[in-house]
């Protein structure tokens, strides 16, 4: 499996897990989703908002690269989140944004070539500091960040009495 195939697999895993996560979250009343459970972003809802905000920030950054501008044009048209917490969204709007972002991620990773992964992305952090990294390393960070916070979200769901079920990437890895 080459790098582009690995990133496509991670994009599919990302979509699959987010669908499971939002389905489980939808089974809870609003009060339970928004209950402060002592997580870094407080509640399950706050954690989900953070993941959407961070994904939006990164997709806008990736879309600023000339090579990715067309495929990520709809993402770059989104407003810049005001913070890593994002804007306050009702759950249904947050879920719709998540579905939109996941489709954009799948579309983008389907269009990636091995040469694209060796490109360097120039960007600015949330505090305005310049950054410059290879796309493949940034994509690893992008997917790892989502996995990290989804792990927190599954814990918050468990604390609320909801089981997400199997979450292992291995489920999507084809027999070799």
């Amino acid at each position: 499996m080459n790098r582009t195939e690995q990133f496509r697999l991670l994009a599919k895993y990302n979509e699959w897990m987010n669908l499971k996560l939002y389905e489980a979250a939808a089974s809870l009343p609003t009060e339970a989703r928004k209950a402060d459970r002592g997580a870094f972003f407080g509640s399950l809802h706050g954690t989900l908002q953070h993941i959407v905000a961070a994904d939006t920030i990164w997709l806008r950054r990736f879309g600023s690269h000339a090579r990715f501008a067309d495929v990520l044009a709809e993402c770059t048209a989104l407003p810049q989140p005001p913070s890593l917490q994002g804007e306050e969204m009702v759950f249904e709007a947050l879920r719709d944004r998540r579905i939109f972002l996941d489709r954009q991620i799948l579309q983008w990773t389907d269009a990636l070539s091995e040469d694209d992964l060796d490109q360097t992305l120039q960007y600015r952090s949330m505090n305005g500091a310049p950054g410059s990294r290879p796309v493949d390393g940034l994509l690893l960070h992008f997917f790892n960040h989502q996995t990290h916070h989804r792990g927190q979200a599954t814990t918050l769901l468990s604390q609320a009495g909801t089981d997400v079920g199997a979450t292992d990437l291995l489920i999507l890895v084809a027999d070799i």
Side-chain angles (χ1 to χ4, degrees):
M1 185 182 298
N2 66 29
R3 293 180 302 164
T4 55
E5 292 167 334
Q6 289 174 0
F7 286 123
R8 287 181 191 118
L9 174 61
L10 290 174
K12 289 175 187 167
Y13 173 70
N14 174 65
E15 180 189 45
W16 176 67
M17 276 305 304
N18 284 329
L19 288 170
K20 288 173 62 93
L21 198 62
Y22 276 80
E23 181 180 326
S27 73
L28 297 174
T30 301
E31 301 76 36
R33 280 193 306 268
K34 290 193 166 195
D36 189 338
R37 298 185 186 277
F40 191 77
F41 291 97
S43 65
L44 173 61
H45 190 88
T47 301
L48 297 175
Q49 275 191 180
H50 167 68
I51 300 169
V52 163
D55 284 2
T56 301
I57 291 164
W58 276 109
L59 289 167
R60 285 172 46 86
R61 288 174 182 164
F62 288 125
S64 73
H65 193 288
R67 173 63 184 98
F68 312 128
D70 288 343
V71 72
L72 291 174
E74 289 183 68
C75 292
T76 56
L78 293 172
Q80 173 73 5
S83 70
L84 289 174
Q85 181 60 43
E87 62 181 292
E88 179 66 31
M89 298 174 82
V90 297
F91 180 74
E92 294 75 18
L94 191 62
R95 180 178 48 205
D96 290 346
R97 179 66 57 88
R98 177 75 267 161
I99 291 167
F100 167 78
L101 291 174
D102 288 343
R103 288 183 183 150
Q104 294 293 301
I105 294 165
L106 283 166
Q107 179 180 314
W108 180 43
T109 56
D110 281 347
L112 284 174
S113 70
E114 287 291 310
D115 289 341
D116 291 335
L117 297 174
D118 295 325
Q119 298 290 315
T120 298
L121 180 69
Q122 308 284 332
Y123 62 92
R124 295 219 172 261
S125 69
M126 290 296 286
N127 68 6
S132 176
R133 301 270 193 297
V135 169
D136 65 346
L138 291 173
L139 269 172
L140 282 174
H141 166 73
F142 178 75
F143 285 116
N144 184 66
H145 178 263
Q146 293 172 32
T147 300
H148 166 71
H149 286 296
R150 276 195 306 265
Q152 292 174 336
T154 59
T155 298
L156 297 171
L157 282 161
S158 181
Q159 289 174 355
T162 302
D163 182 11
V164 175
T167 62
D168 291 333
L169 174 64
L170 184 60
I171 293 167
L172 298 185
V173 175
D175 292 332
I176 301 174

